[in-house]
Amino acid sequence: MVDTDRITGAAKELGGKLQGAVGDLTGSHRDSAEGRFREAQGAAENAYGQAKDTVRHAADRAQDYAGEAQDHAEDAYERGSHYLRRGTRQVSHQVAEYPLASLVIAGLVGFGLGLLVSANRD
């Protein structure tokens, strides 16, 4: 979408060029100067419209990237939830099938963590 400042700026710039050229041909310094002034105003307005278009385009791209990032985050969250549920089922199954071995492993892990914590205090 082209900004209206670009369109009006281009029109003013063209009108100014024409007025300046007519002023040069007729020898009217006033028309020539006014034409150059309108041409400069039109060029400035056109540049302003281009800057607005650039910012609008960048904002649209940033919004698109944010949407994509959100989609990726939601997908990662879904996969993580799935893996957590699957892992919980697997551990529950192993504990139910081998309760004594699970108790020994849990005790060894607890003992190891206790050693790590007490070693950090020394």
Side-chain angles (χ1 to χ4, degrees):
M1 179 175 167
V2 176
D3 191 76
T4 55
D5 290 321
R6 289 180 69 179
I7 296 169
T8 58
K12 284 181 184 178
E13 189 175 1
L14 179 62
K17 282 182 183 182
L18 289 174
Q19 185 179 5
V22 168
D24 290 342
L25 287 175
T26 61
S28 171
H29 295 294
R30 182 172 185 240
D31 281 341
S32 180
E34 279 184 21
R36 301 290 184 258
F37 180 71
R38 284 181 58 196
E39 182 181 351
Q41 280 181 323
E45 191 172 346
N46 190 358
Y48 175 68
Q50 287 176 359
K52 284 174 43 178
D53 280 344
T54 301
V55 169
R56 186 179 301 115
H57 180 69
D60 290 344
R61 298 269 320 244
Q63 191 174 22
D64 291 343
Y65 290 143
E68 288 177 21
Q70 182 179 359
D71 291 343
H72 288 297
E74 288 173 355
D75 186 42
Y77 181 78
E78 292 287 328
R79 282 193 317 252
S81 297
H82 171 74
Y83 291 137
L84 177 64
R85 286 190 300 273
R86 197 167 110 196
T88 302
R89 280 194 304 269
Q90 288 293 330
V91 169
S92 297
H93 176 72
Q94 291 296 324
V95 168
E97 192 169 331
Y98 305 105
L100 185 58
S102 299
L103 184 62
V104 170
I105 291 172
L108 290 173
V109 168
F111 182 73
L113 288 174
L115 287 176
L116 287 173
V117 169
S118 68
N120 287 337
R121 290 187 179 173
D122 290 338

